[in-house]
Amino acid sequence: MNTADLGLPVDVPSTALFTDHYELTMLQAALKGGAADRRSVFEVFTRRLPEGRRYGVVAGTGRVLDAVENFRFDADVLGFLRERRVVDEPTLEWLASYRFGGDVWGYPEGEVYFPGSPILRVEGSFAECVLLETVILSILNHDSAIAAAASRMASAAGGRPLIEMGARRTHELGAVAASRAAYVGGFTTTSDLAAGFRYGIPTVGTAAHAFTLLHDSERDAFQAQVDSLGRGTTLLIDTYDVTEAVRTAVEVAGPELGAVRIDSGDLLLVAHRVRQQLDELGATNTRIIVTSDLDEYAIASLAAAPVDAYGVGTQLVTGSGHPTASMVYKLVARAESADPKAPLVPVAKKSSGGKTSIGGRKWAARRLDEHGTAEAEVIGTGAVPAELADRQLLVELIKGGQVLAREPLDVVRDRHAAARGNLPLSATQLSRGEAVIPTEYV
């Protein structure tokens, strides 16, 4: 069963308090001042990519859809707000019946993005849209950061499988989201059972050093594991002496031994030695899995090693040095009045220090060269040029409050692989550089 199709609720009764205090005080003031019902357009974008990154990855959209659906102010939530006097009674009455009834457009999940890309566009009354700012940003910033790191690692792995194993290095619920984002970015499996249950991601795992240390000898540990899990299991060989462990592993499991795992030492050197020893013992089909604080650079350094799969934890779930995508949620247009027919007026913050934004409801398209490779991210507020009409990136996700675009996670994962494949080859370089294609405004 792929639970990504089911639109399961998040792990709390309501997402309404996944927000900042000032979202509700803005709402109260707008209701009292008469501007709350003005039609408004908010956009999610990032002004720049994290240093050294050449593209971003849209991840978390499916979780955003769940969060918007579950943004409800039930009796307990309202009681908390009343007790703390966060907002006044008229505002609490308005919140009691809150249901997002607007429209959401966005880049399809798994797509790549660049500075200025309108990754998500939220349209409705100011009141209903402003409340969603924090929860949308918290999901997209986290998941997109993890997916971008995963994508870089997948490129560095060159087709070799990647195992997500970072649950113990992050928040317990963040671990589930990180596993989902990693799968979008190109990882193949996870060690986290909650991610497997919730999103249908394949789960893997066998034993840790504690299992070996439990037994009187390494041979006893290997024998117990093989007796229980079969000869195709993965034996951890670096608890004591690697050379002796490989010999014992093949003696216990035979040449049918599925895999060995190396979790310490000079992985490049040890992998070559282990491969040679396995082959000499007749275990030519036994795979080698390496773990131990890997990131994309360490994975790339092992490209010439006889490694069959990588397990990645800490660096993945922390975004490999960039734990956020630095996305913002800005009002870019609002109606002249509360009249539903009132025209939209572009608005934008004017600020020094690189925090300016561009007003107006935007479209985005990706221009391709004659070889079908992306050459520019084109963003505009007026009519879409005819030559870009079939290259537009935003799709409708929610219409009138109803979710339209839930997708199986495998579809999202395949989309990312295709999007990354359409970028210039330099997109996969790990050396520091600017965005692989420019952003053009028309």
Side-chain angles (χ1 to χ4, degrees), residues 2 109-110 183 407-416:
N2 189 341
E109 189 167 15
Y183 192 70
E407 299 176 300
L409 203 54
D410 284 335
V411 171
V412 175
R413 187 170 182 270
D414 290 344
R415 177 183 292 123
H416 174 63

Side-chain angles (χ1 to χ4, degrees), residues 12-18 65-78 81 95-101 131-132 401-403:
V12 292
S14 166
T15 55
L17 292 184
F18 289 169
L65 299 180
D66 289 344
V68 171
E69 277 197 333
N70 288 279
F71 205 90
R72 305 282 188 268
F73 292 85
D74 57 26
D76 289 341
V77 171
L78 292 169
L81 296 175
L95 291 172
S97 59
Y98 177 84
R99 299 290 185 274
F100 179 73
L131 293 180
L132 300 176
Q402 299 299 310
V403 173

Side-chain angles (χ1 to χ4, degrees), residues 155-158 160 268 272 296-308 310:
S155 293
R160 295 171 179 174
L268 179 62
H272 277 288
E296 60 265 48
Y297 300 100
I299 291 169
S301 74
L302 293 168
V307 172
D308 298 285
Y310 306 91

